[in-house]
Amino acid sequence: MSTTGNPIPHSARFGLIFGAIGAATLLAAGLPSLGAPGDAVVDAAAKATTVTIDNFAFAPPALTIAAGTTVTWKNDDGEVHKVQDDHKWFSSSALDTDDSFSQTFATPGVYHYFCSIHPYMVGKIVVKPARPPS
């Protein structure tokens, strides 16, 4: 057996390659999709219209909705938070514990928002065109 150029035998290299591919496949199967959302992800997210603020985070951090949907942010945290989008198209007042703020999204697009008191808290609303009634 020659080891010129590569000290790992040919058969062992195939085992390492296929083992790595198998491990990556198993890992990817257990993770949520980070690419284009599939129908199941969009359908599940489209039903949620409430974003909870708790433990200095928005949940869910990303939400896909149909145009015309109203999203309500509810502060379940023990701290005051203020919701604002990146372009200042919408902004809440200071939300104390149990306070809420609602915004209706009529225009399709992507709306990035954050807590203007704690700017590391970020979220995203993706607004898709509404389907006409059947």
Side-chain angles (χ1 to χ4, degrees), residues 88-100:
K88 296 185 181 178
W89 291 329
F90 64 87
S91 181
S92 72
S93 60
L95 303 175
D96 207 344
T97 305
D98 295 326
D99 286 348
S100 62

Side-chain angles (χ1 to χ4, degrees), residues 23-82:
T25 301
L26 288 173
L27 179 61
L31 296 174
S33 172
L34 298 177
D39 290 341
V41 173
V42 172
D43 289 345
K47 294 176 184 173
T49 56
T50 299
V51 175
T52 303
I53 304 168
D54 195 17
N55 199 25
F56 293 90
F58 297 109
L63 183 63
T64 299
I65 59 172
T69 300
T70 299
V71 175
T72 300
W73 286 264
K74 183 174 183 302
N75 187 5
D76 287 342
D77 208 343
E79 298 294 325
V80 174
H81 297 286
K82 188 173 179 184

